[in-house]
Amino acid sequence: MSAIYTSGALEEKNSYDGLPCVVIPVHNYSVGQTFDCGQCFRFDRVESSPYLCEYEGIAFGKYVRFAQNYPGELVIINSNASDFEAVWKRFLGLDTDWEAIRGDLMTKCTSDSVMVRAADLAGGIRILRQDPWETLCSFIISQNNNIPRIKKIIASLSKNLGRPVHCSDGVTRYAFPTDTELEAAGEDMLYQLKTGFRAKYLYDAARRSANGLVDYGFIEESDDLEECADRLCEIKGVGPKVAACVLLFGFGKLNAFPVDVWIKRSLERHFPCGFEPAGLSPYAGVAQQYLFYYERYIEGRS
DNA sequence: TGCCAGGGCGCCG
DNA sequence: CGGCGCCATGGC
């Protein structure tokens, strides 16, 4: 039995509040882990949900909610079958066999390794395939910053500069601004929106992206992670870590291995003799995300 | 008050 | 190339 979602297995119905939704059979899936593991900043938990776990937000200009009561079933609210096929299936990574990846990683580590414990704890995580431009900006903003404030800044940029999305629940939300919209806003405006020293970086990213100087097509096609990172690092304020995050969370390059302060501490603690991400190829980035979740979990998630 | 946050830049040796 | 101070801001 394959763990990959197969077309036709989904069920269309209405959600508890009357919105159209689809129910997807999944395996060892966690909405909570996926949307609270620091890869995506535009989804918030719905506290009043009748589901055990529900997150809502905007992606690709669409309002959507992801909910579940158990690991074998995912509910996508404000969606239908064709919408799922066109947008959410790829976004959620449901075209990928994550249990096979997790199994592959676990065979490459000793059973007492922190990596196995992390993969055990955080195995419900899926690496999202987010919009590359939005991912680029999100991780420029992330530098020397914490997750709650990153979310605030991104929400503020969207509200002030992004296109309004009139949602089916009656609330107006906002899409993340396009590169053109961000460039038109200007560096001063970006600074006023509390981006701090990152304003000039965001503006440079917007200018380059809006003028075709970021070769998304090349990065999409290439398997050369170094070359892809080099292209992204041409943007001011983009270094190895931000580039790795963009490649992992925006382009689905599952071997990209971002090293932030959490991962650095973790590797120093658990691998004092040194650590080689290459040993986890070609899914080192997935292992990294398990580890990131694990470290934040045992610290009590600040 | 000082430290830290999904870092990178500029400068120095 | 490796190390280090700095960059804005807000929460603890």
Side-chain angles (χ1 to χ4, degrees):
Chain A
M1 183 183 75
S2 170
I4 306 179
Y5 162 77
T6 48
S7 182
L10 95 188
E11 178 192 355
E12 288 185 297
K13 49 205 263 184
N14 285 329
S15 75
Y16 59 89
D17 56 353
L19 298 180
C21 68
V22 291
V23 181
I24 314 285
V26 287
H27 184 62
N28 188 23
Y29 183 91
S30 171
V31 168
Q33 291 178 357
T34 296
F35 288 93
D36 187 31
C37 72
Q39 62 173 323
C40 176
F41 305 102
R42 294 230 65 199
F43 281 78
D44 298 308
R45 185 162 191 144
V46 180
E47 299 296 345
S48 61
S49 173
Y51 287 93
L52 289 178
C53 182
E54 178 173 351
Y55 277 74
E56 69 174 353
I58 305 270
F60 298 101
K62 290 170 177 284
Y63 170 60
V64 69
R65 304 206 303 255
F66 301 110
Q68 73 177 151
N69 280 329
Y70 56 95
E73 184 179 278
L74 165 66
V75 182
I76 306 180
I77 300 169
N78 199 34
S79 184
N80 55 45
S82 64
D83 189 53
F84 168 73
E85 288 292 336
V87 182
W88 305 125
K89 186 171 163 182
R90 176 182 162 96
F91 174 70
L92 295 168
L94 295 182
D95 48 4
T96 300
D97 189 343
W98 294 94
E99 281 301 276
I101 291 174
R102 195 166 71 97
D104 178 70
L105 286 170
M106 292 174 93
T107 64
K108 289 172 176 165
C109 303
T110 57
S111 58
D112 60 340
S113 161
V114 63
M115 205 64 82
V116 170
R117 292 200 300 278
D120 192 45
L121 174 76
I125 289 179
R126 300 295 179 271
I127 304 292
L128 298 170
R129 189 142 178 173
Q130 304 176 68
D131 174 68
W133 160 248
E134 181 175 331
T135 309
L136 172 61
C137 292
S138 298
F139 284 94
I140 287 174
I141 293 164
S142 79
Q143 66 174 266
N144 202 23
N145 212 340
N146 56 65
I147 291 175
R149 203 168 84 93
I150 295 164
K151 292 183 71 169
K152 273 188 188 171
I153 292 172
I154 292 173
S156 175
L157 288 175
S158 301
K159 183 161 189 174
N160 286 280
L161 306 174
R163 182 177 59 83
V165 179
H166 302 290
C167 305
S168 43
D169 65 347
V171 179
T172 298
R173 295 178 178 81
Y174 297 86
F176 186 81
T178 64
D179 49 7
T180 309
E181 288 167 339
L182 219 57
E183 184 189 23
E187 188 179 323
D188 288 347
M189 175 64 72
L190 299 180
Y191 188 86
Q192 285 173 30
L193 293 173
K194 306 292 185 184
T195 56
F197 62 86
R198 309 164 193 85
K200 54 183 176 293
Y201 301 156
L202 281 174
Y203 184 73
D204 187 62
R207 185 185 59 78
R208 288 175 190 263
S209 183
N211 292 95
L213 300 177
V214 181
D215 196 341
Y216 294 105
F218 173 84
I219 298 172
E220 194 78 48
E221 298 301 320
S222 174
D223 287 323
D224 186 341
L225 279 183
E226 291 241 11
E227 174 67 16
C228 291
D230 286 346
R231 301 287 182 103
L232 291 171
C233 288
E234 291 171 9
I235 301 164
K236 256 180 267 176
V238 176
K241 194 274 175 179
V242 170
C245 285
V246 175
L247 293 175
L248 181 57
F249 305 130
F251 287 94
K253 313 279 186 192
L254 300 184
N255 209 24
F257 195 90
V259 179
D260 70 333
V261 292
W262 292 90
I263 295 296
K264 199 172 296 176
R265 275 199 298 263
S266 174
L267 297 183
E268 284 167 1
R269 183 181 307 144
H270 300 292
F271 303 90
C273 300
F275 172 84
E276 260 313 315
L280 299 175
S281 183
Y283 304 118
V286 181
Q288 184 273 0
Q289 202 55 17
Y290 293 152
L291 204 55
F292 181 78
Y293 186 91
Y294 178 86
E295 289 297 330
R296 286 183 71 232
Y297 181 84
I298 62 177
E299 287 294 322
R301 43 168 87 285
S302 68

